Amino acid sequence: MIPVTKTYLPPIEEYLSYIQKIWAGGQITNHGPLVRELEMRLKEYLGVKHLFLVTNGTIALQIAIKALGLKNEIITTPLSYVATTSSIVWEGCAPVFADIENDTLTINPREIEKKISKKTTGIITTHVYGNPCDIEAIDEISKKNNLKVIYDAAHAFGVRYREKALVSYGDISVLSFHATKIFHTIEGGALITHDDEMAHKISYMRNFGHDGEESFFGLGINGKMSEFQAAMGLCILPHINEVIERRRLIHNTYDELLDFDRLSKPVWRGGANHNYAYYPVLFQTEQQLLATRELLRKNNIYPRRYFYPPLNTLAYIKKQPAQVTEDISRRILCLPLSHDLKKNEGECTANTINKSIKRN
Ligand SMILES: *Cc1c(COP(=O)(O)O)cnc(C)c1O
């Protein structure tokens, strides 16, 4: 069976040696030595000033919303994983959807401008599939309208844009280190900011607001990463370039073999590298996608409809149109991509798709 992705697990001896360190030190959570070491290594790897590990990417989004004091309306993208929207609703704010660009599939800055009201306090949007948003335009709009910007960079680990880590843009960027992401800590996430005051706020907000044992800086929540999670990250980080390289090879196999007279791909923004986190392809019709998925399943190949349904159609939010997203979401499919996928498995997947779209 070929799943859409497979969790990378490091050599077990490497994980065990960290477990032995945990046993020797006796500390298993509460900002222990492994969490501190992973924070330091990630800041180095990404080249960012402040980075705070938390227990998952969703709590990172929620802390970001709280730390920036966002209220009322937040403009967001309808093409993302559900956590981008649900964290806004969970924090008592209203998501207002701005439609996407039909080529890059990231939020359309012109649509953001149309959705700004007196109640808008911020923008939360996703570098979907690791493809950077139109950062310059969003920057200009946010400055002109006094809005805060949070980038959901859950797909963007290792992407560099204009000589800097993509996660260094915005007031806060958020990463997810869930087991399905290219770099993971089993469950985990991080907040990145260049602002010292914001950094201080995040540092106490993730730890109940504590200022020492008996006083508090302010409101907080439990967002702490454990030593076991950090140990996984410390084991994987030295292998990350090799993981990305193996994904690149499968990516290239798809690029070479797929029938791009009938299929298309999102346009990658200039100035950014790929991290090969996903391989999204667009079919001409939803019917063609469904027929192809059926044939792939018969061959034990399991792609996923990332991202379907569009988030503007969720039952718990006020209905809002987003025509481009609704069209794209029906026609986009993410193909299997992992460090473990063999070249012949990639070839088989591509050939099966080509066969299906000739018929449908
Ligand atoms: C995975 C993901 C999240 C959620 O991260 P968790 O660590 O699973 O909580 C948020 N946004 C996007 C775009 C994601 O893909």
Side-chain angles (χ1 to χ4, degrees):
M1 147 162 175
I2 304 177
V4 70
T5 192
K6 197 168 167 190
T7 297
Y8 175 79
L9 287 171
I12 194 164
E13 314 76 54
E14 295 177 18
Y15 194 62
L16 287 176
S17 82
Y18 278 105
I19 299 303
Q20 270 160 351
K21 280 191 198 164
I22 294 174
W23 251 253
Q27 184 174 2
I28 61 175
T29 187
N30 283 358
H31 211 54
L34 298 184
V35 166
R36 294 198 300 269
E37 186 181 340
L38 183 59
E39 281 185 345
M40 197 191 69
R41 296 240 195 122
L42 284 171
K43 277 189 272 195
E44 254 169 36
Y45 182 82
L46 298 167
V48 295
K49 188 170 179 195
H50 300 291
L51 178 146
F52 299 92
L53 288 170
V54 289
T55 199
N56 62 62
T58 306
I59 202 80
L61 280 168
Q62 290 175 211
I63 291 174
I65 293 168
K66 273 277 198 305
L68 290 166
L70 302 190
K71 299 205 165 43
N72 295 315
E73 293 179 358
I74 297 175
I75 295 175
T76 188
T77 176
L79 190 74
S80 184
Y81 181 59
V82 70
T84 315
T85 294
S86 64
S87 58
I88 295 172
V89 178
W90 198 269
E91 289 302 321
C93 300
V96 173
F97 292 95
D99 211 346
I100 57 172
E101 299 177 336
N102 67 6
D103 50 359
T104 67
L105 311 187
T106 57
I107 200 165
N108 185 336
R110 302 289 82 76
E111 297 297 318
I112 296 179
E113 282 184 305
K114 287 189 207 160
K115 302 291 164 133
I116 293 173
S117 79
K118 286 204 173 63
K119 290 184 173 172
T120 312
T121 58
I123 299 165
I124 301 184
T125 192
T126 305
H127 302 303
V128 70
Y129 313 117
N131 195 12
C133 298
D134 187 344
I135 287 177
E136 290 75 22
I138 293 171
D139 200 42
E140 205 182 303
I141 293 166
S142 64
K143 286 206 175 95
K144 203 165 79 190
N145 297 279
N146 198 22
L147 304 176
K148 301 292 184 193
V149 179
I150 298 171
Y151 285 115
D152 182 339
H155 306 161
F157 186 85
V159 176
R160 294 185 68 79
Y161 178 64
R162 303 208 160 163
E163 325 280 291
K164 286 205 304 189
L166 185 51
V167 294
S168 59
Y169 294 91
D171 292 288
I172 297 177
S173 277
V174 164
L175 283 164
S176 164
F177 300 146
H178 182 255
T180 54
K181 311 294 202 261
I182 45 175
F183 171 77
H184 79 90
T185 59
I186 309 170
E187 292 273 357
L191 295 100
I192 293 105
T193 183
H194 43 75
D195 181 295
D196 296 341
E197 202 181 313
M198 203 43 60
H200 172 62
K201 233 171 162 177
I202 294 165
S203 73
Y204 72 72
M205 278 187 158
R206 70 168 167 178
N207 183 29
F208 300 103
H210 268 295
D211 172 17
E213 279 182 31
E214 295 175 4
S215 71
F216 296 88
F217 288 114
L219 180 68
I221 194 168
N222 182 358
K224 285 176 281 131
M225 175 178 276
S226 79
E227 292 291 277
F228 293 86
Q229 290 169 283
M232 183 61 83
L234 285 166
C235 288
I236 294 175
L237 197 55
H239 296 285
I240 191 68
N241 292 342
E242 161 203 337
V243 168
I244 293 174
E245 174 58 17
R246 282 160 76 177
R247 301 177 76 109
R248 188 180 71 84
L249 296 176
I250 296 296
H251 201 277
N252 288 354
T253 301
Y254 287 147
D255 273 356
E256 281 160 26
L257 292 182
L258 285 170
D259 176 1
F260 287 109
D261 290 333
R262 292 181 169 87
L263 298 165
S264 61
K265 291 202 300 176
V267 172
W268 207 256
R269 196 171 302 281
N273 65 303
H274 255 285
N275 63 355
Y276 310 102
Y278 297 89
Y279 197 97
V281 283
L282 277 157
F283 291 82
Q284 284 160 342
T285 63
E286 182 178 27
Q287 190 275 333
Q288 200 182 48
L289 178 150
L290 293 173
T292 303
R293 183 176 65 168
E294 200 47 43
L295 185 64
L296 287 168
R297 282 179 175 172
K298 280 197 186 119
N299 288 275
N300 251 336
I301 302 167
Y302 294 87
R304 285 285 294 269
R305 294 183 86 179
Y306 295 143
F307 290 95
Y308 180 90
L311 300 174
N312 59 309
T313 66
L314 287 169
Y316 54 79
I317 59 143
K318 202 176 99 210
K319 280 266 173 307
Q320 302 168 52
Q323 270 187 345
V324 178
T325 304
E326 284 169 39
D327 168 50
I328 295 283
S329 179
R330 280 193 281 267
R331 296 189 289 115
I332 201 159
L333 190 69
C334 281
L335 306 187
L337 185 59
S338 78
H339 65 282
D340 201 40
L341 202 68
K342 309 287 175 290
K343 189 172 166 66
N344 68 319
E345 293 173 322
E347 288 166 354
C348 172
T349 302
N351 292 334
T352 308
I353 293 169
N354 290 344
K355 199 159 72 185
S356 166
I357 57 181
K358 272 207 189 83
R359 291 204 300 247
N360 293 286

